[in-house]
Amino acid sequence: MTDVVVPQRLRSGDRVAVVAPSGPVDASRLDAGVVHLRSWGLEVDVMPSVLAGHERFKYLAADDKARAEDLRNAWLDPRYAAVFCARGGYGVQRLLEYVDVDELVAVPKWFVGFSDITALHEPLNARGLVTVHGPMAAAVEQLDTDAGRERLRALLFEPETVTDLLAQAGARTVVDGVAEGLLRGGNLALLAASIGTPTYAPPVGVVVLEEVNEEAYQADRLLTQLLRAGWFEQVTGLVIGDFSKGGEGLDDTIRERLEPLDVPTVEGAAIGHEALNLAVPLGLPVRLDATAGSLIPSGLAGS
C-alpha cells in the first residue's frame, strides 16, 4: 500500500500560487477570492495563464501547454507552500498528458480545488498525496460562506482542529454501519471519464461523490458505468455530497444504484457546488460512522 503523505500546514506569511487548469476565470471574482486568502496572512501570486484566455476555445482558461506549465512551475517553485485552483469548468483532462504526476508528488504541498479538478486529485491521491477537495480561489459565494471558508482555513492552517469532516454538513443516514479506509472520489462525471485512461485509479476505502447539472438519467448512466467497470469493488463506505441543479428523481436514482452495494452510506453532505462547500482531505485515512453521521480523519494533526 502506498504511504500517505500529508503536506506541511500553512502559516501566516506563506506564499501560495493560483493556477487555472480548467475553464476561463472572471478577474473580478478572482480578485474577491484572493482577498480572502490574503486575510489569512498569505502572499498570493496569480500564474501567467490564469487570465490569458484561449484564442480558439473560449471554454478553456488558456492553451493546454500553458496551463500545464503554470501548474508545474507553481508546484515545483520552492517559494510556494500551496497551489490553489482558480475554478473548475472543463479542461484538466486535456492537460494531463503534459503533467508528470510523479514529479509533483515528489514535492508535497497542499493542492486545493474540486469539480473538474477531480481529474488531478485522482492520480495524486493514488500516489499517496493528500489533497483538498474544497472551495477554489474564484469561488466567491463559497468563500463568502463563513463555515465553508473557516473549514478550508482550518484544514490548511490548524488541521488538528478538524475532528469531524461531516460536522455542519447535514448528512443523512442511508445505510447504517461503520467503514474505514482512505477517502477518495470527487466529481462523478470526471471519475467516470477517467476509466480506461492512464490516470484511472479506482478507490480503496471511503468515497465522496458530488455533481452538478445532471438529470436523473445522466447520473444513472455515470453511476452504471462505474458499477459495470468494477469501480466500487473495494469501496467500504459512501459519502454522497451535493448533486446540485439536478432533475426530478435524482436522489431516488442515486439510492437505487448505490444502496445495493450495502456499504455504510450517508447522503446530502454539504460537499460540492452549493454555497456551503465543506473542504475534505482526499487521500487521508478516515472512519465513516454512517449511523452517527460522522467522518473522522486520521493523521491530520501531525501535518
Side-chain angles (χ1 to χ4, degrees):
M1 179 175 157
T2 303
D3 291 337
V4 173
V5 178
V6 181
Q8 291 293 313
R9 70 182 65 203
L10 299 186
R11 292 173 172 80
S12 180
D14 280 344
R15 184 174 294 275
V16 301
V18 175
V19 298
S22 303
V25 180
D26 180 276
S28 62
R29 292 176 60 84
L30 179 60
D31 288 344
V34 166
V35 168
H36 285 298
L37 301 186
R38 288 178 175 152
S39 74
W40 298 342
L42 296 174
E43 301 292 330
V44 183
D45 291 343
V46 176
M47 299 302 286
S49 74
V50 171
L51 298 172
H54 193 291
E55 183 177 352
R56 187 176 178 187
F57 302 122
K58 304 305 179 186
Y59 53 82
L60 298 173
D63 175 82
D64 295 340
K65 290 184 178 179
R67 288 180 286 119
E69 182 179 13
D70 270 2
L71 175 65
R72 181 179 187 273
N73 290 344
W75 200 298
L76 300 183
D77 191 326
R79 294 177 300 166
Y80 298 125
V83 177
F84 285 78
C85 295
R87 63 157 297 199
Y90 169 76
V92 170
Q93 290 173 304
R94 292 176 55 114
L95 63 76
L96 285 173
E97 65 180 292
Y98 306 113
V99 174
D100 184 340
V101 180
D102 291 320
E103 180 183 47
L104 303 185
V105 171
V107 186
K109 57 184 59 177
W110 285 115
F111 177 64
V112 182
F114 80 104
S115 195
D116 192 62
I117 311 304
T118 296
L120 273 165
H121 286 306
E122 183 179 38
L124 292 168
N125 298 154
R127 287 161 175 80
L129 184 66
V130 175
T131 59
V132 174
H133 180 287
M136 295 177 275
V140 179
E141 295 84 1
Q142 294 185 343
L143 291 173
D144 281 347
T145 303
D146 291 344
R149 183 177 66 251
E150 174 55 25
R151 164 65 70 79
L152 178 59
R153 188 203 66 80
L155 266 183
L156 297 173
F157 285 81
E158 300 170 351
E160 70 280 358
T161 66
V162 183
T163 57
D164 182 359
L165 298 168
L166 292 184
Q168 306 180 69
R172 305 178 298 273
T173 304
V174 177
V175 178
D176 287 314
V178 173
E180 296 183 343
L182 300 180
L183 185 63
R184 294 278 298 277
N187 182 264
L188 174 60
L190 270 297
L191 294 168
S194 79
I195 294 175
T197 71
T199 53
Y200 175 55
V204 178
V206 179
V207 163
V208 59
L209 296 174
E210 60 84 16
E211 191 49 270
V212 64
N213 292 326
E214 299 286 1
E215 297 290 337
Y217 78 90
Q218 294 170 312
D220 188 324
R221 180 175 61 214
L222 295 168
L223 289 169
T224 300
Q225 182 178 4
L226 291 176
L227 288 163
R228 295 185 68 219
W231 192 87
F232 290 98
E233 285 181 359
Q234 297 186 74
V235 169
T236 59
L238 291 169
V239 177
I240 310 302
D242 286 318
F243 274 59
S244 304
K245 302 177 182 178
E248 182 179 355
L250 179 57
D251 289 345
D252 189 47
T253 295
I254 295 169
R255 290 192 203 101
E256 188 274 339
R257 292 282 74 197
L258 297 181
E259 277 190 79
L261 294 174
D262 197 30
V263 298
T265 302
V266 297
E267 67 179 4
I271 300 169
H273 287 77
E274 298 297 323
L276 178 57
N277 178 19
L278 294 173
V280 296
L282 295 179
L284 192 77
V286 295
R287 182 179 188 272
L288 170 66
D289 186 333
T291 307
S294 65
L295 185 64
I296 310 302
S298 173
L300 269 180
S303 67

